[in-house]
């Protein structure tokens, strides 16, 4: 195999469609290189020789100089970056065993190349960071994460050596073992604890699956240890991508977490607690039936939103499961029936302290349990009496507005409820109760929005929100060099509403001039559906149609061989009781009031506004945001023009605007134009 074939084969192993939107690490071993070359009859020595030879026509001498030469203008003709083969070699050197000093890198590299294992920097190796940075740009910006997301993170003080070392912190075997460890440790990919708590859980439940080197790093207690921080960041990436599936005694199970939800009645001094299932896995279409371990009780629920189910309901009497009836110090576990085709298991982890936040962010009433103490925002704590002495001291010294709530009904025996406006420090309590530790790693994450196909492509009308976790006041977030304002002190950011479609966005968290974290995404406004001839079709039973172009079939939104009825806007906002739906177009007079009037055929609605005896709601129903701007024109029908102005301007205080910021701006434009009519 020549160098380019080796390069592309290694690249295709790591960067592929299955890794879309997920973190990629170039963990390369001699075994992997041997497996990749086996199909072509090439071995490990062939790979080393190809690396030394380089690309055909290479003009420069020296390994690192040849590697730099491959970066020049490669995007014009090649599918993969042509320097990945060299980066694979550098990672190989970081992981080989032998009679080397612990932190000795260059003798390892020279040994791989068949050279004398002398110390000292390899010629031009300090310039290799350009290749790692270009790989990050290619995967995140050029490809928008469609083949995976690579971040050029370094560990240690010597940046150029730290880049390949950062790829070796987890072996492939360890990475494959993580789902089972996550399940045993009761970790939730939706709401997970701070890094210190995760490290303790992995040490406890991963002794048999993780290397001694990995366990030693996790046991390290210094938050400043860069290797430990990089390892935990990698593990959290894997946790966030985990859908709850894991092997248990040779059988596949889907694991999730039971989360407490609470409605507080301050007047009655009562807490009403329920339990919901939390999972990243897709819920079944039918209700999920779950049993206690002793099969004494059964409960059901269904998917509601954001990976959360409806409250668990008892099958015997149809009443909600009361959350205070169980011992929170011991936890709780419910499972699906052994006879069910898909095995489910949900756990309420045992803990003497439980953290709650306002449920508004997840569209839920009351407060919802989370696994991490939020920074600079209000929270609630349910604590067992064994924790009260230290908890009270910490609350009074390290929190703002810390107070005990007087709850006389609804909590388990021996438990108390507290409220605080914000936690300012975790120093007094994080060692004793790791669930109250702040995150130590800075993370920049995309949440929500509607993705288009794979990777970080989103529809412009439904962009994601940006969350900065573990940040401080000194860290600012930028979008294409434009400073973003946080919606609140919790590190929640929204993208500017005026960003044009088909624009690649580079999101950066900066501290002064230093870039701490970055990610990228693409907002798509004009999207063409794939042709029916290229799309995989499924029949009405969900079976793949092969070579059948005549029968009725479906592929996503594409339907073939079926006469579909016209879309009925009344199903978009169903009319209830005396409620009316006002369909409003972009020109004065374009208004239809249902159910009294039928929808017009000569204009398209932009807004569907529900209006009853109480407050109304505006919902965008246009086909294209850019083509939905209000357009002032003359209207001969004065009655319709008056109705158009009335619903948009005179009734503006009675109608709730849409939630998304870009739609709010459009709604305000309509109101201003209606005022002028």
């Amino acid at each position: 195999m020549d160098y380019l074939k080796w390069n592309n084969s290694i690249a295709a192993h790591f960067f592929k469609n299955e890794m879309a939107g997920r973190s990629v690490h170039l963990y390369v071993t001699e075994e992997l290189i041997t497996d990749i070359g086996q199909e072509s009859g090439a071995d490990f020595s062939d790979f080393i020789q190809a690396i030394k030879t380089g690309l055909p026509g290479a003009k420069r001498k020296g390994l690192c100089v040849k590697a730099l030469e491959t970066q020049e203008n490669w995007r014009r003709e090649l599918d993969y970056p042509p320097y990945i083969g060299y980066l694979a070699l550098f990672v190989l050197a970081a992981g080989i065993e032998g009679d080397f000093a612990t932190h000795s890198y260059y003798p390892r590299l020279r040994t791989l190349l068949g050279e004398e294992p002398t110390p000292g920097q390899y010629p031009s190796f300090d310039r290799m960071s350009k290749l790692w940075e270009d790989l990050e740009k290619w995967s995140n910006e050029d490809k928008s994460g469609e083949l995976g997301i690579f971040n050029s993170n370094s560990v240690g003080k010597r940046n150029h050596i730290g880049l390949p070392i950062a790829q070796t912190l987890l072996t492939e075997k360890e990475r494959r073992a993580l789902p089972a460890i996550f399940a045993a440790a009761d970790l939730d990919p939706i709401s997970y604890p701070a890094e210190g708590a995760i490290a303790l859980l992995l040490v406890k439940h991963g002794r048999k699956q993780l290397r001694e080197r990995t366990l030693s790093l996790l046991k390290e207690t210094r938050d400043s240890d860069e290797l430990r921080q990089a390892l935990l960041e990698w593990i959290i990436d894997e946790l966030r991508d985990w859908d709850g599936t894991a092997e248990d005694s040779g059988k596949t199970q889907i694991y999730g977490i039971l989360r407490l939800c609470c409605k507080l009645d301050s007047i009655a001094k009562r807490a009403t607690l329920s339990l919901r299932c939390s999972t990243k896995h897709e819920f079944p279409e039918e209700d999920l039936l779950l049993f206690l371990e002793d099969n004494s009780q059964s409960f059901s629920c269904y998917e509601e939103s954001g990976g959360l189910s409806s409250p668990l309901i008892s099958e015997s009497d149809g009443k909600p499961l009361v959350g205070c009836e169980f011992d929170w110090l011991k936890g709780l576990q419910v499972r699906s029936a052994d006879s069910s085709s898909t095995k489910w298991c949900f756990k309420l982890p045992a803990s003497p302290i439980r953290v709650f936040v306002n449920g508004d962010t997840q569209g839920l009433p009351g407060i919802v349990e989370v696994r991490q103490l939020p920074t600079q925002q209000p929270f609630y704590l349910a604590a067992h009496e064994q924790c009260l002495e230290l908890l009270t001291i910490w609350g009074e010294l390290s929190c703002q507005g810390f107070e005990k709530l007087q709850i006389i009904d609804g909590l388990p025996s021996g438990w108390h409820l507290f409220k605080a406006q914000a936690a300012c420090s975790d120093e007094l309590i994080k060692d004793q109760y790791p669930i109250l530790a702040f995150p130590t790693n800075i993370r920049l994450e995309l949440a929500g929005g509607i993705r288009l196909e794979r990777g970080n492509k989103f529809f412009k009308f439904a962009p994601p929100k940006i969350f900065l976790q573990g940040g401080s006041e000194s860290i600012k977030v930028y979008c294409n060099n434009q400073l973003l304002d946080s919606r609140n002190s919790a590190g929640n950011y929204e993208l500017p509403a005026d960003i044009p479609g088909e624009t690649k966005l580079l999101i950066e968290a900066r501290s002064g001039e230093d870039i701490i974290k970055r990610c990228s995404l693409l907002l798509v406004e004009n999207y063409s559906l794939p042709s029916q001839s290229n799309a995989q079709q499924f029949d009405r039973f969900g079976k793949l149609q092969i070579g059948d172009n005549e029968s009725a079939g479906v592929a996503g939104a594409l339907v073939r061989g079926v006469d579909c009825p016209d879309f009925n806007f009344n199903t978009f906002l169903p009319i209830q009781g005396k409620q009316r739906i006002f369909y409003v177009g972009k020109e004065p007079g374009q208004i239809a009031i249902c159910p009294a009037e039928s929808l017009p055929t000569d204009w398209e609605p932009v807004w569907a506004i529900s209006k009853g005896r109480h407050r109304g709601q505006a919902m965008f129903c246009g086909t294209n945001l850019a083509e939905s701007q209000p357009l002032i024109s003359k209207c001969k029908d004065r009655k319709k023009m008056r109705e158009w102005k009335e619903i948009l301007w005179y009734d503006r205080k009675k109608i709730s605007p849409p939630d998304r910021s870009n739609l709010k701006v459009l709604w305000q434009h309509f109101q201003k134009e209606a005022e002028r009519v």
Side-chain angles (χ1 to χ4, degrees), residues 491-513:
N492 180 0
Y493 299 82
E494 282 194 358
L495 295 171
D498 57 353
I499 294 177
E502 324 309 322
T503 302
K504 286 190 176 181
L505 305 180
L506 181 62
I507 313 299
E508 295 178 328
R510 303 178 189 171
S511 177
E513 296 297 320

Side-chain angles (χ1 to χ4, degrees), residues 606-625:
V606 174
W607 300 105
I609 304 169
S610 64
K611 189 179 178 186
R613 291 189 303 170
H614 303 293
R615 193 167 185 82
Q617 175 68 52
M619 295 184 68
F620 178 74
C621 62
T623 56
N624 186 299
L625 195 61

Side-chain angles (χ1 to χ4, degrees), residues 16 53 94 170 210 309 319 351 355 402 407 418 430 486 508 543 571 607 632 669:
K16 47 194 174 184
T53 304
L170 274 179
L210 301 178
S309 75
K319 295 181 179 180
S351 178
V355 184
F402 187 82
I407 301 296
F418 298 84
K430 65 179 181 179
S486 177
E508 295 178 328
K543 295 181 179 179
T571 64
W607 300 105
I632 296 303
H669 286 171

Side-chain angles (χ1 to χ4, degrees), residues 628-674:
S628 298
Q629 299 296 325
L631 179 63
I632 296 303
S633 61
K634 293 183 178 180
C635 176
K636 296 180 181 180
D637 190 333
R638 299 187 65 83
K639 179 183 177 183
K640 285 293 180 184
M641 185 172 66
R642 187 168 59 251
E643 290 176 346
W644 192 85
K645 178 169 184 171
E646 181 177 344
I647 191 68
L648 290 171
W649 179 247
Y650 294 129
D651 291 345
R652 65 189 185 280
K653 294 184 179 180
K654 302 177 183 178
I655 298 171
S656 298
D659 292 331
R660 299 215 64 86
S661 57
N662 54 350
L663 296 179
K664 282 182 181 178
V665 172
L666 180 63
W667 177 250
Q668 291 167 358
H669 286 171
F670 268 80
Q671 290 178 325
K672 289 179 181 178
E673 295 300 337

Side-chain angles (χ1 to χ4, degrees), residues 265-396:
D265 186 336
S266 57
I267 297 176
K269 299 180 180 180
R270 180 187 301 116
T272 303
L273 287 147
S274 60
L275 281 167
R276 295 175 185 259
C277 296
S278 172
T279 179
K280 259 200 169 180
H281 201 282
E282 185 176 349
F283 278 85
E285 292 187 10
E286 304 293 332
D287 285 2
L288 189 57
L289 186 61
L290 301 166
F291 299 84
L292 291 179
E293 289 184 276
D294 60 2
N295 290 322
S296 60
Q297 296 184 60
S298 59
F299 310 94
S300 63
C301 64
Y302 54 87
E303 182 179 13
E304 201 158 87
S305 65
L308 288 172
S309 75
S310 61
L312 289 178
I313 300 294
S314 173
E315 284 289 286
S316 60
D317 57 15
K319 295 181 179 180
L321 171 62
V322 180
C324 65
E325 292 181 350
F326 300 92
D327 188 347
W328 294 356
L329 291 176
K330 295 181 179 179
L332 176 68
Q333 180 172 290
V334 292
R335 291 179 176 269
S336 59
D338 293 336
S339 58
S340 58
S341 57
T342 304
K343 302 293 190 297
W344 293 82
C345 177
F346 292 91
K347 300 178 184 179
L348 178 70
S351 178
I353 294 180
R354 299 188 176 274
V355 184
F356 294 81
V357 297
N358 197 305
D360 288 348
T361 57
Q362 300 181 54
L364 297 175
I367 56 177
V368 182
E369 185 180 14
V370 294
R371 300 291 297 279
Q372 187 177 123
L373 182 69
T375 56
Q376 300 304 313
Q377 64 172 307
F379 63 92
Y380 295 78
L381 295 178
H384 191 261
E385 56 191 7
Q386 70 186 43
C387 312
L388 294 188
E389 183 177 355
L390 179 58
L391 183 69
T392 303
I393 295 173
W394 169 76
E396 292 174 350

Side-chain angles (χ1 to χ4, degrees), residues 353-516:
I353 294 180
R354 299 188 176 274
V355 184
F356 294 81
V357 297
N358 197 305
D360 288 348
T361 57
Q362 300 181 54
L364 297 175
I367 56 177
V368 182
E369 185 180 14
V370 294
R371 300 291 297 279
Q372 187 177 123
L373 182 69
T375 56
Q376 300 304 313
Q377 64 172 307
F379 63 92
Y380 295 78
L381 295 178
H384 191 261
E385 56 191 7
Q386 70 186 43
C387 312
L388 294 188
E389 183 177 355
L390 179 58
L391 183 69
T392 303
I393 295 173
W394 169 76
E396 292 174 350
L397 296 178
S398 303
C399 296
Q400 297 176 3
F402 187 82
E403 61 175 314
K404 182 180 178 181
L405 300 181
Q406 298 301 317
I407 301 296
I408 61 175
D409 184 31
L411 291 176
S413 177
W415 285 77
H416 304 266
L417 192 64
F418 298 84
K419 178 184 178 182
Q421 291 303 312
C424 304
S425 171
D426 62 354
E427 285 300 321
L428 292 175
I429 204 162
K430 65 179 181 179
D431 293 334
Q432 185 70 25
Y433 301 109
I435 195 171
L436 297 182
F438 288 158
T440 53
N441 279 7
I442 296 172
R443 298 182 62 83
L444 199 58
E445 299 176 351
L446 304 177
I450 300 178
R451 292 181 187 267
L452 173 67
E453 297 175 343
R454 305 181 181 94
N456 285 343
K457 286 185 178 180
F458 293 83
F459 283 108
K460 186 178 183 298
F461 67 83
K465 293 180 180 179
I466 300 165
F467 286 93
L468 178 67
Q469 186 182 71
S472 62
E473 293 182 357
S474 64
I475 297 178
K476 308 297 181 183
V477 177
Y478 293 80
C479 172
N480 286 0
N481 293 318
Q482 177 182 345
L483 179 64
L484 299 182
D485 291 327
S486 177
R487 294 187 63 198
N488 51 51
S489 57
N492 180 0
Y493 299 82
E494 282 194 358
L495 295 171
D498 57 353
I499 294 177
E502 324 309 322
T503 302
K504 286 190 176 181
L505 305 180
L506 181 62
I507 313 299
E508 295 178 328
R510 303 178 189 171
S511 177
E513 296 297 320
D514 296 330
I515 298 174
I516 309 299

Side-chain angles (χ1 to χ4, degrees), residues 135-156:
L135 180 60
E136 178 177 316
K137 182 179 179 181
W138 171 76
S139 71
N140 300 348
E141 298 180 36
D142 295 4
K143 291 296 182 180
S144 298
E146 292 179 2
L147 303 178
I149 296 172
F150 178 81
N151 292 307
S152 57
N153 298 325
S154 178
V155 295

Side-chain angles (χ1 to χ4, degrees), residues 441-604:
N441 279 7
I442 296 172
R443 298 182 62 83
L444 199 58
E445 299 176 351
L446 304 177
I450 300 178
R451 292 181 187 267
L452 173 67
E453 297 175 343
R454 305 181 181 94
N456 285 343
K457 286 185 178 180
F458 293 83
F459 283 108
K460 186 178 183 298
F461 67 83
K465 293 180 180 179
I466 300 165
F467 286 93
L468 178 67
Q469 186 182 71
S472 62
E473 293 182 357
S474 64
I475 297 178
K476 308 297 181 183
V477 177
Y478 293 80
C479 172
N480 286 0
N481 293 318
Q482 177 182 345
L483 179 64
L484 299 182
D485 291 327
S486 177
R487 294 187 63 198
N488 51 51
S489 57
N492 180 0
Y493 299 82
E494 282 194 358
L495 295 171
D498 57 353
I499 294 177
E502 324 309 322
T503 302
K504 286 190 176 181
L505 305 180
L506 181 62
I507 313 299
E508 295 178 328
R510 303 178 189 171
S511 177
E513 296 297 320
D514 296 330
I515 298 174
I516 309 299
K517 289 291 175 184
R518 63 155 61 102
C519 65
S520 63
L521 65 140
L522 176 67
L523 296 183
V524 178
E525 188 166 22
N526 300 310
Y527 172 68
S528 300
L529 290 172
S531 64
Q532 291 196 11
S533 59
N534 296 330
Q536 286 187 326
Q537 300 272 349
F538 296 85
D539 64 18
R540 59 177 178 163
F541 301 107
K543 295 181 179 179
L544 180 64
Q545 294 177 333
I546 301 176
D548 182 2
N549 296 320
E550 303 298 330
S551 303
V554 61
L558 297 173
V559 180
R560 183 189 64 203
V562 177
D563 292 328
C564 299
D566 293 335
F567 179 70
N568 181 1
F569 274 92
N570 288 336
T571 64
F572 179 70
L573 277 176
I575 299 172
Q576 300 176 357
K578 296 183 178 181
Q579 187 183 58
R580 293 178 296 168
I581 306 298
F582 292 72
Y583 294 106
V584 177
K586 61 184 179 181
E587 298 183 34
Q590 291 182 346
I591 184 169
I593 306 173
C594 295
E597 301 173 4
S598 59
L599 283 172
T601 57
D602 55 344
W603 57 269
E604 293 184 354

